[in-house]
Amino acid sequence: MIPANRTSVAGRDVVFTCNATGIPSPFIIWERPDSRMPSTARVIGSTLTIADVGNKDSGVYRCTASNTEGSASATAQLDVIGQ
């Protein structure tokens, strides 16, 4: 379930994936614990895509998988270089 940390050049798109399995299938949410999600962030299923990243997008992102049996969370770090 642990999403991989990412380092990106400013202006590129970054993709995080949070794979989780369970019965029933877990619902995945993405959040940014210490800040607002970038306006260019989009979540489809378990994948978070941040388009055109900039320095302000650097930081920690957390995915949480939940179902009726419980929940689990994991974090990933984004570091943006340049700009």
Side-chain angles (χ1 to χ4, degrees):
M1 168 167 164
I2 299 174
N5 293 334
R6 299 279 187 243
T7 299
S8 177
V9 174
R12 298 223 174 130
D13 294 354
V14 173
V15 177
F16 290 103
T17 302
C18 183
N19 294 319
T21 59
I23 299 173
S25 295
F27 177 76
I28 307 287
I29 61 166
W30 281 94
E31 59 190 335
R32 199 166 173 198
D34 299 325
S35 188
R36 296 183 73 180
M37 288 292 272
S39 61
T40 60
R42 299 289 177 259
V43 176
I44 298 176
S46 62
T47 302
L48 166 66
T49 302
I50 306 167
D52 191 26
V53 296
N55 291 350
K56 66 188 179 319
D57 301 322
S58 292
V60 175
Y61 292 81
R62 177 172 54 216
C63 71
T64 302
S66 301
N67 66 12
T68 56
E69 300 300 312
S71 66
S73 295
T75 60
Q77 175 72 36
L78 171 60
D79 294 310
V80 178
I81 301 168
Q83 222 178 31

